[in-house]
C-alpha cells in the first residue's frame, strides 16, 4: 500500500483506539503501539512517548508517516495524547486490561453490558450501583472505586511530570509520598520534590519551577537553593558550612546577586531562632558563630555532646573486678594471652564509663574485646553488641560468639524518622559495645546515645584512620580529637598478623609509606602495573572472570569484590559494573532482564541495596543476587542470604545497583575474600591515603592493586581526608 501523500509543511494527525501495547519503557516513556485508526480496520504501528498507555484508550497522534526498511509503514509522533475510551468496545478493553483492581475481562464485559457508556461515571460517582452487577459485593465495589480514583490521580500526575522529564517510576514514588494531593502540592511548591523524593534533585525541581513561571530571584527559589546547598554539603559529609562559603555556593547555583541570597538566608535563620509551632514544617536554618546548619544536624551534634558529657561525669558501676586475677582467668577461657598493651586496654575498659579503642588491622582489637566480654559475662553484666551495618554486625557475632545487631535494629527503627528506642523509652543493658564506629554519622550517634539507659557503660571500637562515615559528620575522629573521651590507640602488630602482606601494606600506607610492590611467592598482596585506564579495566575483567577463579578457586561474583574510588569515568562503578556484568552474566534468550533507572538487571546479577528500607528489612550496603524476575505482574526477587528473599516492584528498583564493582565508601564495614582495586590518575581528585587504606583493609585473603604506581604514590602522600565542616569537637570541649 503506498504511503498517503503528505504536505511537508503540515504534520499528519492520526486518531484511533490502542489495540495493543507492543513496548513501553516506563522511565523514558518510549512506546510502540498497535492502533486501529477511526473508521478503518487495518491496525497501524505508532511510535512515540507517553507516561503510561492502556489497551482500549483513545489516541490522538501528531507526526509523520514513514517507511521503515524492516518494520514497514509506521507513524512516528511528535505529540501523543491519550484519553479514556468513548466506545463500548474500547471501554471494555480498558477496564479488562488489569489497570483497575477488582476488574478483569469477565467483569469488564458485565459492567459494559449493564451500564454501557455511563460506566466510568458510575464507578466514580455512583459506585453503590456496581453491586447490582453479578459477583460484585461491597468489598469488590470499594476496591474498584478506590483503584479507579487512584489511577485517575496517578494518570494526571504522570502526564504532568512526564512533560517535565520525570519518568513513570518516579511518578509512582511521588504519588506514594503525596497521595491525591500530589498535583496541588507540586503546583504550589515544586521545590518540595527535591526535599521529599529520592532520586529527584534540586535542578529537576528548579527546571519545573522555572517552566511554571516562578521568578529566578523569588524568595521560594532562593530559599530552596540555600537549603539545597546545605543538603548537598551534608551529602558529602559536612554538618555545616561557613556562612561565607554557603553564600558563595548558593549565589553560583542560583545565578542571582549575593545580596538577594543574604536577605533570604537571614529570613531562614530568623525562622530557626524562633520556636516552631506544632506541626510547622517551614524551611529554616540555624547559625552558630560563623557556621550555618540544617537544624537537625545542629541538634544532632549538641545532643551527642550532652549525652557524652553526662556519661563521662559518672564513674563506672561494674561489680567489683580484680583485673590482676580476672585477666589471667579470661586468658585461660579464651586461649589467648594478652600483650602488655592489650592488658592495659582491658584494664582501661574496666575503669572507665566510656572508652574508645582504635587501631588498624592486626593490632588485636578482637582479642581485647573477647577478653573483656568474657570477664563481664562472668560477672553477669548485661551486654549489648551492635554495628552500623548488617555485614559488620554479622562479623562481630562471628568473632565474639555473641549476638550482635545493626544499630537501627537495636534502636527499633520504624521508618520515617520514628524510633522505638529513645530518651523516653531507653535501651536495656549495662555495657553497649559498638564496632566499626568510623562509619557512624552524627544523626545516628545522636539517636543511639539518647537511647542509652541511666547507668550504661559504652565501648566504641573502630579504626579512626579509615574513611569517615558516608553520612554527615566525622564522629569518631571528632571524639578522639576533642581529648575529652578516654581513648586507647593500638599500634603494635602481632606475630600472626605480621605474616600478612595485606596488613603490613595497610600499615605502610597509613604511615605514608609506599608498600613493597615487588611480587612475592605465596603473597596475599600484589600490584599489577598498567598505566593506561583501558588496560586497567581489561586486566580487572580478566582477573575476575578467569585468572583468580582458576588460581585460587574463588567464585567470581560471590568471592571477588572490585572496589573503586568513584562512580564516573571508565574506571568508575558504572563502567566497571557494565563490563563485569557482560563478562560474568551476559544476556541470553532464556534469561529475563529488566531495565530501570539506566541499569539492566538480569537473573543472577550481584546487586547492592543503596538505601535503608525498614519495611523490607534490607539496609544500605546489603549485597545479594537476583534469583527471579517475574513478568506479570512485573517483580524482581533478590536473595540476600540463605533464608532471606526480598521482592521489589519496578518503582522500587532505584534502591538497587549492580555490585560487581562498588565504591570504596560503600564497602565500609564489609570484608571480602578477595579485593581488586584500580589505582589511576583518572581518580586524582579523590585519591588520598584513607581511601586506599580502607580499600586494602576490606580483604581477608587477597588484595590486587591494578594501575599506575604514580597514582598510588599520590594517594599515599595525600593525607587530607577531605575536610569536613563539623563543630562536634568544639561542642565536646566546651563547658
Amino acid at each position: 500500500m503506498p504511503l498517503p501523500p503528505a504536505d511537508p509543511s503540515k504534520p499528519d494527525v492520526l486518531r484511533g483506539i490502542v489495540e495493543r501495547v507492543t513496548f513501553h519503557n516506563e522511565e523514558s516513556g518510549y512506546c510502540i503501539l498497535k492502533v486501529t485508526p477511526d473508521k478503518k480496520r487495518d491496525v497501524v504501528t505508532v511510535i512515540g512517548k507517553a507516561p503510561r498507555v492502556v489497551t482500549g484508550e483513545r489516541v490522538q497522534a501528531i507526526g509523520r508517516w514513514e517507511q521503515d526498511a524492516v518494520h514497514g509503514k509506521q507513524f512516528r509522533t511528535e505529540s501523543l495524547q491519550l484519553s479514556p475510551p468513548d466506545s463500548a468496545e474500547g471501554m471494555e478493553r480498558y477496564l479488562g486490561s488489569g489497570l483497575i483492581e477488582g476488574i478483569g475481562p469477565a467483569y469488564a464485559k458485565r459492567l459494559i453490558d449493564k451500564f454501557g457508556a455511563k460506566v466510568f461515571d458510575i464507578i466514580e460517582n455512583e459506585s453503590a450501583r456496581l453491586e447490582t452487577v453479578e459477583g460484585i459485593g461491597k468489598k469488590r465495589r470499594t476496591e474498584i472505586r478506590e483503584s479507579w480514583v487512584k489511577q485517575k490521580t496517578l494518570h494526571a500526575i504522570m502526564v504532568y511530570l512526564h512533560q517535565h522529564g520525570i519518568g513513570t517510576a518516579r511518578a509512582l514514588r511521588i504519588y506514594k509520598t503525596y497521595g491525591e494531593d500530589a498535583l496541588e502540592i507540586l503546583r504550589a511548591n515544586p521545590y518540595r520534590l527535591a526535599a521529599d523524593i529520592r532520586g529527584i534533585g534540586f535542578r529537576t525541581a528548579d527546571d519545573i519551577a522555572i517552566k511554571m513561571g516562578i521568578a529566578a530571584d523569588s524568595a521560594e527559589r532562593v530559599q530552596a537553593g540555600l537549603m539545597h546547598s546545605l543538603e548537598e554539603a551534608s551529602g558529602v559529609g559536612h554538618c555545616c558550612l561557613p556562612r561565607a562559603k554557603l553564600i558563595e555556593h548558593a549565589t553560583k547555583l542560583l545565578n542571582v546577586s549575593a545580596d538577594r541570597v543574604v536577605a533570604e538566608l537571614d529570613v531562614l535563620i530568623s525562622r530557626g531562632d524562633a520556636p516552631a509551632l506544632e506541626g510547622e514544617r517551614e524551611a529554616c536554618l540555624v547559625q552558630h558563630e560563623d557556621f550555618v546548619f540544617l537544624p537537625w544536624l545542629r541538634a544532632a551534634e549538641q545532643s551527642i555532646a550532652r549525652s557524652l558529657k553526662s556519661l563521662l561525669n559518672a564513674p563506672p558501676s561494674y561489680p567489683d573486678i580484680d583485673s590482676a586475677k580476672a585477666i589471667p582467668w579470661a586468658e585461660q577461657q579464651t586461649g589467648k594471652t594478652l600483650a602488655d598493651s592489650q592488658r592495659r586496654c582491658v584494664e582501661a575498659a574496666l575503669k572507665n564509663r566510656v572508652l574508645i579503642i582504635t587501631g588498624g588491622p592486626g593490632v588485636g582489637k578482637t582479642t581485647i574485646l573477647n577478653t573483656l566480654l568474657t570477664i563481664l559475662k562472668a560477672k553477669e553484666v548485661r551486654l549489648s553488641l551492635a554495628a552500623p551495618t548488617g555485614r559488620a554486625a554479622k562479623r562481630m557475632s562471628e568473632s565474639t560468639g555473641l549476638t550482635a545487631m545493626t544499630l537501627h535494629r537495636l534502636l527499633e527503627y520504624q521508618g520515617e524518622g520514628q524510633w522505638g528506642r529513645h530518651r523516653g523509652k531507653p535501651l536495656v543493658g549495662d555495657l553497649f559495645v559498638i564496632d566499626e564506629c568510623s562509619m557512624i554519622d552524627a544523626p545516628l550517634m545522636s539517636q543511639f546515645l539518647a537511647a542509652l539507659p541511666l547507668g550504661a557503660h559504652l565501648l566504641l571500637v573502630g579504626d579512626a584512620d579509615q574513611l569517615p562515615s558516608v553520612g554527615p559528620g566525622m564522629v569518631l575522629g571528632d571524639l578522639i580529637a576533642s581529648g575529652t573521651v578516654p581513648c586507647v590507640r593500638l599500634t603494635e602488630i602481632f606475630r600472626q598478623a605480621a605474616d600478612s602482606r595485606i596488613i603490613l601494606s595497610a600499615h605502610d600506607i597509613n604511615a605514608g609509606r609506599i608498600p613493597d610492590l615487588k611480587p612475592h611467592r605465596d603473597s596475599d598482596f600484589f600490584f599489577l602495573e598498567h598505566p593506561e585506564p583501558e588496560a586497567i579495566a581489561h586486566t580487572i575483567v580478566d582477573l575476575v572472570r578467569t585468572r583468580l577463579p582458576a588460581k585460587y578457586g574463588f567464585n567470581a561474583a560471590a568471592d571477588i569484590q572490585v572496589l573503586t574510588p568513584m562512580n564516573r569515568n571508565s574506571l568508575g562503578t558504572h563502567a566497571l559494573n557494565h563490563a563485569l556484568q557482560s563478562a560474568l552474566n551476559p544476556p541470553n534468550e532464556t534469561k529475563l532482564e529488566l531495565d530501570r533507572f539506566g541499569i539492566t538487571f538480569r537473573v543472577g546479577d550481584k546487586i547492592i541495596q543503596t538505601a535503608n528500607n525498614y519495611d523490607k528489612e534490607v539496609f544500605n550496603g546489603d549485597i545479594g543476587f537476583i534469583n527471579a524476575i517475574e513478568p506479570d505482574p512485573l517483580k524482581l526477587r533478590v536473595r540476600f542470604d540463605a533464608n532471606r528473599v526480598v521482592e521489589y516492584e519496578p518503582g522500587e528498583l532505584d534502591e538497587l545497583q549492580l555490585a560487581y564493582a562498588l565504591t570504596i565508601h560503600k564497602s565500609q564495614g564489609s570484608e571480602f575474600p578477595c579485593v581488586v582495586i584500580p589505582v589511576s590518575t583518572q581518580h586524582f581528585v579523590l585519591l588520598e591515603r584513607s581511601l586506599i587504606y580502607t580499600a586494602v583493609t576490606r580483604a581477608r585473603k587477597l588484595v590486587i592493586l591494578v594501575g599506575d604506581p604514580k597514582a598510588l604514590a599520590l594517594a599515599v602522600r595525600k593525607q587530607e581526608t577531605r575536610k569536613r565542616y563539623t563543630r562536634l569537637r568544639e561542642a565536646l570541649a566546651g563547658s
Side-chain angles (χ1 to χ4, degrees):
M1 181 187 295
L3 290 177
D7 179 351
S9 65
K10 187 177 180 181
D12 298 306
V13 178
L14 183 149
R15 297 181 180 88
I17 299 291
V18 177
E19 296 290 334
R20 186 170 77 250
V21 181
T22 303
F23 175 81
H24 184 237
N25 182 308
E26 289 188 353
E27 193 58 22
S28 67
Y30 177 81
C31 57
I32 302 172
L33 312 177
K34 295 297 184 182
V35 174
T36 301
D38 290 348
K39 300 179 182 178
K40 293 184 181 179
R41 291 186 176 182
D42 293 339
V43 175
V44 299
T45 300
V46 175
I47 298 172
K49 284 189 175 184
R52 185 183 63 172
V53 191
V54 180
T55 300
E57 282 188 304
R58 282 200 59 76
V59 60
Q60 176 173 298
I62 298 173
R64 301 282 183 189
W65 290 99
E66 63 179 30
Q67 187 74 36
D68 184 85
V70 176
H71 303 289
K73 186 178 73 170
Q74 52 191 24
F75 192 82
R76 189 170 295 276
T77 68
E78 299 167 6
S79 168
L80 185 63
Q81 293 183 335
L82 294 150
S83 58
D86 52 12
S87 69
E89 183 182 3
M91 288 180 173
E92 185 176 329
R93 290 190 182 187
Y94 184 81
L95 289 172
S97 67
L99 177 74
I100 308 301
E101 294 175 20
I103 303 179
Y107 279 105
K109 186 175 189 317
R110 291 180 198 175
L111 287 166
I112 294 298
D113 289 345
K114 179 79 173 178
F115 301 116
K118 295 181 179 179
V119 66
F120 292 166
D121 183 63
I122 286 169
I123 291 173
E124 185 162 349
N125 300 309
E126 301 178 69
S127 65
R129 292 179 61 186
L130 298 179
E131 294 184 34
T132 63
V133 175
E134 182 186 354
I136 297 180
K138 184 176 181 181
K139 181 179 179 182
R140 186 182 293 270
R141 183 255 294 182
T142 303
E143 183 181 31
I144 291 170
R145 171 70 169 74
E146 289 177 351
S147 180
W148 173 265
V149 172
K150 173 185 172 182
Q151 292 299 331
K152 186 177 178 182
T153 304
L154 189 54
H155 183 74
I157 294 168
M158 285 179 174
V159 170
Y160 178 79
L161 294 173
H162 206 71
Q163 292 168 350
H164 296 92
I166 297 176
T168 301
R170 290 215 166 91
L172 286 167
R173 276 194 179 277
I174 291 167
Y175 178 80
K176 287 180 180 178
T177 302
Y178 301 136
E180 295 179 20
D181 298 327
L183 281 181
E184 183 181 339
I185 289 169
L186 298 184
R187 286 169 177 149
N189 182 8
Y191 292 105
R192 282 189 59 178
L193 281 174
D196 298 342
I197 309 298
R198 175 180 168 82
I200 297 180
F202 171 81
R203 296 183 191 282
T204 301
D206 196 37
D207 182 56
I208 293 172
I210 289 170
K211 287 178 181 176
M212 288 172 55
I214 293 176
D217 64 348
S218 66
E220 55 202 319
R221 181 172 185 263
V222 176
Q223 289 178 16
L226 282 161
M227 297 293 291
H228 169 72
S229 295
L230 279 170
E231 286 158 1
E232 192 174 54
S234 75
V236 293
H238 301 295
C239 286
C240 56
L241 284 178
R243 180 182 168 98
K245 197 171 187 72
L246 173 59
I247 292 168
E248 178 186 5
H249 185 278
T251 300
K252 288 180 180 177
L253 171 73
L254 299 165
N255 195 25
V256 298
S257 71
D259 289 344
R260 190 76 194 88
V261 171
V262 169
E264 295 305 328
L265 175 58
D266 288 339
V267 169
L268 291 172
I269 291 170
S270 69
R271 289 181 193 159
D273 291 337
L277 298 174
E278 186 175 352
E280 186 176 8
R281 288 192 62 206
E282 198 170 30
C284 64
L285 298 174
V286 174
Q287 182 167 330
H288 175 68
E289 297 174 343
D290 291 327
F291 293 86
V292 182
F293 294 77
L294 293 164
W296 56 281
L297 287 174
R298 174 63 176 160
E301 289 196 343
Q302 289 178 308
S303 177
I304 291 169
R306 281 196 306 271
S307 297
L308 281 174
K309 286 177 182 178
S310 176
L311 282 173
L312 291 165
N313 286 334
S317 56
Y318 289 132
D320 289 338
I321 297 172
D322 183 346
S323 59
K325 294 179 180 177
I327 292 175
W329 173 82
E331 288 175 327
Q332 288 184 332
Q333 300 298 308
T334 64
K336 298 283 187 181
T337 302
L338 302 187
D340 289 343
S341 60
Q342 294 174 310
R343 181 182 294 265
R344 289 193 295 272
C345 187
V346 173
E347 290 171 346
L350 294 172
K351 291 177 182 176
N352 288 282
R353 174 78 66 171
V354 184
L355 182 70
I356 296 170
I357 300 176
T358 187
V363 296
K365 296 192 295 291
T366 300
T367 300
I368 290 167
L369 185 56
N370 283 334
T371 304
L372 176 66
L373 296 177
T374 299
I375 293 169
L376 294 175
K377 257 180 21 182
K379 291 291 185 177
E380 299 184 350
V381 172
R382 294 173 298 173
L383 306 171
S384 184
L385 280 61
T389 68
R391 293 172 75 86
K394 184 177 180 182
R395 284 174 40 225
M396 195 179 189
S397 293
E398 291 168 351
S399 65
T400 63
L402 301 174
T403 300
M405 61 183 71
T406 65
L407 276 167
H408 283 85
R409 193 176 297 280
L410 178 70
L411 295 168
E412 299 175 12
Y413 188 67
Q414 298 160 3
E416 298 182 358
Q418 301 300 310
W419 304 81
R421 295 291 178 172
H422 44 75
R423 204 176 298 278
K425 186 184 177 184
L427 295 162
V428 176
D430 300 315
L431 170 64
F432 294 83
V433 183
I434 312 299
D435 199 7
E436 295 285 359
C437 285
S438 62
M439 298 178 64
I440 304 177
D441 60 28
L444 181 56
M445 182 62 88
S446 168
Q447 184 66 38
F448 166 65
L449 292 176
L452 287 180
L454 191 66
H457 298 74
L458 178 61
L459 181 62
L460 302 174
V461 183
D463 186 346
D465 295 316
Q466 284 188 24
L467 289 169
S469 58
V470 175
M474 45 189 309
V475 174
L476 183 62
D478 281 345
L479 297 189
I480 294 170
S482 73
T484 61
V485 182
C487 176
V488 175
R489 183 180 286 272
L490 302 167
T491 57
E492 182 182 355
I493 303 174
F494 292 96
R495 185 181 306 164
Q496 186 176 354
D499 293 335
S500 167
R501 290 192 63 233
I502 292 176
I503 290 175
L504 294 177
S505 299
H507 282 275
D508 281 340
I509 291 167
N510 198 35
R513 298 186 297 267
I514 304 293
D516 180 6
L517 303 183
K518 296 190 298 294
H520 293 261
R521 182 181 294 275
D522 299 325
S523 178
D524 57 4
F525 180 93
F526 294 94
F527 187 95
L528 304 182
E529 184 172 345
H530 291 284
E532 296 302 322
E534 294 79 9
I536 296 172
H538 176 79
T539 301
I540 287 173
V541 172
D542 188 38
L543 284 167
V544 175
R545 177 177 53 191
T546 307
R547 292 163 61 182
L548 295 176
K551 182 174 176 60
Y552 297 95
F554 290 134
N555 179 293
D559 296 334
I560 303 171
Q561 186 60 59
V562 176
L563 299 179
T564 184
M566 62 198 305
N567 290 312
R568 296 183 302 278
N569 295 331
S570 62
L571 294 174
T573 57
H574 299 323
L576 288 173
N577 269 318
H578 179 73
L580 289 163
Q581 182 192 44
S582 298
L584 301 179
N585 193 26
N588 63 49
E589 292 181 359
T590 63
K591 191 176 294 181
L592 285 176
E593 58 182 48
L594 177 60
D595 292 317
R596 281 297 181 280
F597 304 105
I599 300 174
T600 298
F601 296 101
R602 297 186 188 119
V603 172
D605 274 336
K606 181 180 184 179
I607 59 87
I608 184 170
Q609 175 79 14
T610 62
N612 290 331
N613 188 321
Y614 299 95
D615 293 332
K616 298 182 186 298
E617 295 191 352
V618 287
F619 303 99
N620 191 350
D622 284 356
I623 292 175
F625 289 86
I626 298 172
N627 71 352
I629 296 175
E630 297 184 1
D632 188 21
L634 196 56
K635 292 184 187 300
L636 182 147
R637 287 193 170 92
V638 177
R639 183 176 295 281
F640 283 99
D641 53 44
N643 301 312
R644 191 161 57 114
V645 175
V646 179
E647 192 174 85
Y648 292 81
E649 295 180 2
E652 299 172 321
L653 296 183
D654 58 345
E655 295 182 3
L656 300 180
Q657 292 178 1
L658 294 176
Y660 301 102
L662 301 177
T663 62
I664 297 168
H665 274 96
K666 279 287 183 191
S667 73
Q668 285 179 268
S670 299
E671 279 189 352
F672 310 94
C674 175
V675 167
V676 180
I677 308 163
V679 185
S680 170
T681 52
Q682 186 183 87
H683 300 140
F684 76 94
V685 174
L686 292 177
L687 284 177
E688 51 99 20
R689 189 180 302 172
S690 64
L691 190 86
I692 300 299
Y693 173 74
T694 299
V696 169
T697 55
R698 297 309 89 205
R700 287 199 302 270
K701 297 179 180 179
L702 183 67
V703 169
I704 300 182
L705 300 170
V706 185
D708 188 345
K710 293 178 183 176
L712 180 62
L714 171 67
V716 171
R717 286 196 304 268
K718 191 175 173 186
Q719 194 181 10
E720 46 187 77
T721 302
R722 290 165 302 287
K723 178 171 174 56
R724 292 190 167 187
Y725 292 107
T726 71
R727 305 302 288 166
L728 176 58
R729 187 190 330 183
E730 290 75 12
L732 284 163
S735 57

